[in-house]
Amino acid sequence: MVAASQGVESGVPHGAVLTAFVDACLGPDAAALAHARNAVIAGLGDAAFVDVCATVASFNAVVKIADATGIPLEEAKEARTRDIRAALGIEAFHAP
C-alpha cells in the first residue's frame, strides 16, 4: 500500500516511520507490516511501539463507533468525500 502522504514532510518526529506503520496496519501485506513494526521498534523503542499500536487501534475503533452510532458527517467532510462515497456506494447503507 502506498501512503497518500508519501513524500510529504509532516513535521512530526518519526513521521515517515509512523505513517508507514499505519499504512501497513491497514494493508494486506504481512511482510510490509513486519518491516514497519521493526522500523518503529528500532527507531522509537519498545514502549513507544506499544503507544503507537494503542493509538492506531483507538483511532480505528473510534471511527467504527461513530459510524455505527450514526454520528452525522460534518459539512466540510461531506463535501470533500462526496465523490468517493458515491463511487463506493456508501450512501446505500444510510438509514434515515
Side-chain angles (χ1 to χ4, degrees), residues 28 33 42 94:
L33 179 58
H94 178 71

Side-chain angles (χ1 to χ4, degrees), residues 4 10 21 23 31 35 41 44 46 60 69 73 85-88 90:
S10 68
F21 181 71
D23 286 342
H35 177 74
I41 293 168
L44 285 81
D46 291 336
N60 194 15
T69 59
L73 188 61
R85 287 182 293 110
L88 295 172
I90 291 174

